[in-house]
C-alpha cells in the first residue's frame, strides 16, 4: 500500500470529509449507493476529480462499488474500506463493497422470477443497471423490486393500460410520474427490452401504455358498427355528422364484444391527412389511423371480428416496419405498398421536382414484396404517405 502519510495529505481534506463520512455510513449499512451533499465549488471539484466525473448542483448520488473502483485506480491503489479505516483511524463494520449483491438473494431477481420474467433477455442487464446506476439504496430495494416487477408483468401482458392504472398496482397513484425512482427503472427496462433509446412517451406507447384512460387515441371514420347499443349508435352518429370518432381507452372498454361483420373492408393509414381528406369528400369507406397502442387495440378487435384490413404507411423504414408488424399481428393486407408503387411515387416526385427526404435508420424486411426493401435501400429516398394521397383516395372512392 502507498505511504499512509501521502494518502492522508491528499484525501484528508475539508472538501472530501463529507464524502468519507457518508461513504462510511453506507458501507457499514451495506448500502450500494448514498446521497452526498456538495455545498460548494471546492467539494464539487474534489469529489468529481476523485470519482471520475464532473459534479454539478448541490448534491449527487454516489455508487459505493464505483467509488471503490475509482480509489483502486488512483495512484495510491487502495480500496474504499482501506481508505476509510486509514482516514478515520478505526476499523469498519459491515461487508466489503461488491459490484452487486449475490444474485441468489437479489430482490430484483426474486421478484422477476415470481412474475415469470426472469427469463426475459432484458432481465439480467436491467438488474445490473439498477444496482449500478439506478440510485436505489439497499433499504429501498425490496419495495422497489416488488413494485417494478408488478408493473413490468402488466406491461408484458399485451393489454392496453393507462399509466395511472399501472401506478395503482403499487398503491401510489403517482408512483410512475416522471422523475420517480419507479418510473426511472421501469423506463430503463422498456428501453432494454425494445433495444433503442426512443423518447419516454414512445417507449410507453410501444408497451401499450397510454398517458391516461380518458384522452383520445384511436382515430376512425365511418366504421359500420353492427350494434344497436348506445355506444355503437354514438360512433355512427359521429360519421353522420361528418366527424371522425376519437376513441379513448375508456371508449374501447365500453365497446360491445362484436364491432363489425366478417369481411368488412377497412382502410388503415399512418397519417391523419388521409382521414381529413376522406371526411372532406364524405367518402363512405371506413378508415382507421394506425398510430399508438389504442389504434393497435382497435385494429386487433376488428381483425378478431373478421374484418379485412388494408394497411398503408410511409415508404420509410419506420413506416414499412409498422406495416410489417400489423400484417404479422392481424393478417392485414399491404395496400399500395409494393415495389411498383414505390417506383411510381418516385417517378411522380421526379416529374414534379418534389424534394424527397433521405431514408434514415437500418433497412427493414418487406416479406409481402422483398423487392420493395431492396429498391428503397438502393434509392435511399423516403416517400411520405401524403405524397400518394390521390391514389389512396381513388381506391377509397371505388
Amino acid at each position: 500500500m502507498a505511504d499512509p502519510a501521502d494518502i492522508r495529505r491528499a484525501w484528508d481534506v475539508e472538501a472530501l470529509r463529507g464524502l468519507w463520512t457518508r461513504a462510511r455510513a453506507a458501507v457499514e449499512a451495506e448500502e450500494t449507493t448514498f446521497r452526498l451533499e456538495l455545498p460548494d465549488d471546492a467539494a464539487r471539484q474534489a469529489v468529481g476529480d476523485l470519482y471520475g466525473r464532473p459534479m454539478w448542483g448541490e448534491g449527487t448520488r454516489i455508487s459505493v462499488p464505483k467509488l471503490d473502483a475509482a480509489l483502486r485506480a488512483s495512484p495510491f491503489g487502495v480500496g474504499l474500506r482501506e481508505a476509510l479505516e486509514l482516514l478515520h483511524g478505526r476499523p469498519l463494520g459491515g461487508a466489503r463493497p461488491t459490484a452487486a449483491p449475490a444474485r441468489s438473494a437479489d430482490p430484483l431477481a426474486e421478484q422477476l422470477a415470481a412474475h415469470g420474467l426472469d427469463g426475459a433477455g432484458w432481465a439480467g442487464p436491467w438488474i445490473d443497471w439498477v444496482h449500478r446506476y439506478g440510485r436505489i439504496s439497499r433499504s429501498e430495494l425490496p419495495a422497489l423490486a416488488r413494485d417494478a416487477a408488478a408493473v413490468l408483468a402488466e406491461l408484458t401482458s399485451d393489454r392496453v393500460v393507462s399509466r395511472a392504472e399501472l401506478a395503482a398496482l403499487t398503491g401510489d397513484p403517482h408512483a410512475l410520474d416522471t422523475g420517480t425512482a419507479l418510473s426511472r427503472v421501469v423506463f430503463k427496462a422498456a428501453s432494454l427490452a425494445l433495444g433503442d433509446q426512443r423518447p419516454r412517451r414512445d417507449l410507453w406507447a410501444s408497451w401499450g401504455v397510454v398517458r391516461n384512460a380518458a384522452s383520445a387515441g384511436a382515430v376512425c371514420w365511418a366504421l359500420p358498427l353492427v350494434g344497436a347499443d348506445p355506444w355503437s349508435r354514438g360512433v355512427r352518429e359521429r360519421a353522420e355528422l361528418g366527424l371522425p370518432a376519437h376513441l379513448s381507452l375508456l371508449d374501447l372498454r365500453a365497446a360491445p364484444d362484436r364491432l363489425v361483420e366478417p369481411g368488412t373492408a377497412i382502410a388503415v393509414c399512418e397519417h391523419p391527412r388521409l382521414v381529413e381528406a376522406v371526411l372532406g369528400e364524405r367518402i363512405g369507406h371506413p378508415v382507421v389511423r394506425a398510430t399508438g397502442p389504442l389504434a393497435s387495440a382497435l385494429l386487433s378487435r376488428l381483425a378478431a371480428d373478421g374484418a379485412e384490413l388494408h394497411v398503408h404507411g410511409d415508404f420509410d423504414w419506420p413506416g414499412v416496419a409498422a406495416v410489417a408488424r400489423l400484417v404479422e399481428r392481424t393478417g392485414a393486407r399491404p395496400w399500395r405498398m409494393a415495389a411498383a408503387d414505390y417506383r411510381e411515387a418516385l417517378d411522380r416526385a421526379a416529374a414534379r421536382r418534389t424534394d424527397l427526404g433521405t431514408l434514415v435508420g437500418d433497412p427493414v424486411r418487406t416479406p409481402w414484396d422483398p423487392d420493395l426493401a431492396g429498391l428503397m435501400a438502393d434509392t435511399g429516398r423516403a416517400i411520405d404517405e401524403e405524397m400518394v394521397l390521390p391514389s389512396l383516395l381513388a381506391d377509397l372512392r371505388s
Side-chain angles (χ1 to χ4, degrees), residues 14-193:
E14 183 64 31
L16 290 174
R17 293 216 172 107
L19 172 67
W20 305 131
T21 299
R22 293 291 297 115
R24 185 184 191 94
V27 170
E28 292 182 334
E30 299 185 20
E31 295 184 343
T32 57
T33 68
F34 60 89
R35 173 74 180 177
L36 177 65
E37 300 301 320
L38 299 170
D40 51 42
D41 289 339
R44 285 186 280 272
Q45 183 66 48
V47 173
D49 290 345
L50 191 65
Y51 194 60
R53 67 169 171 82
M55 297 289 165
W56 311 99
E58 297 182 354
T60 189
R61 178 69 64 170
I62 298 293
S63 162
V64 172
K66 185 174 180 181
L67 177 59
D68 181 66
L71 297 186
R72 293 183 187 279
S74 74
F76 299 125
V78 299
L80 179 59
R81 289 182 65 91
E82 293 83 358
L84 291 172
E85 290 175 348
L86 174 63
L87 294 170
H88 291 156
R90 63 185 190 277
L92 278 163
R96 291 185 176 271
T98 57
R103 185 60 50 88
S104 60
D106 191 320
L108 294 165
E110 291 176 348
Q111 289 295 328
L112 289 184
H115 288 84
L117 300 176
D118 51 323
W122 51 265
W126 177 72
I127 291 172
D128 291 337
W129 182 90
V130 173
H131 284 301
R132 292 178 180 275
Y133 309 111
R135 308 196 302 277
I136 309 300
S137 69
R138 181 176 290 272
S139 61
E140 298 169 327
L141 192 59
L144 179 127
R146 181 191 64 241
D147 292 344
V151 170
L152 292 169
E154 184 66 21
L155 284 174
T156 56
S157 68
D158 293 329
R159 191 171 74 91
V160 180
V161 295
S162 72
R163 197 156 13 137
E165 290 169 330
L166 283 178
L169 297 174
T170 72
D172 178 2
H174 300 290
L176 287 171
D177 288 357
T178 301
T180 64
L182 184 62
S183 173
R184 183 170 64 248
V185 300
V186 169
F187 177 72
K188 183 62 180 181
S191 64
L192 289 170

Side-chain angles (χ1 to χ4, degrees), residues 298-317:
L298 174 60
L299 292 171
S300 295
R301 292 275 304 272
L302 293 168
D305 287 344
E308 295 180 357
L309 306 180
H310 302 263
V311 57
H312 189 277
D314 289 336
F315 282 112
D316 58 17
W317 299 130

Side-chain angles (χ1 to χ4, degrees), residues 359-377:
L359 286 175
V360 177
D362 297 327
V364 175
R365 292 178 60 251
T366 53
W368 63 90
D369 186 351
D371 291 341
L372 172 60
L375 182 57
M376 289 175 62

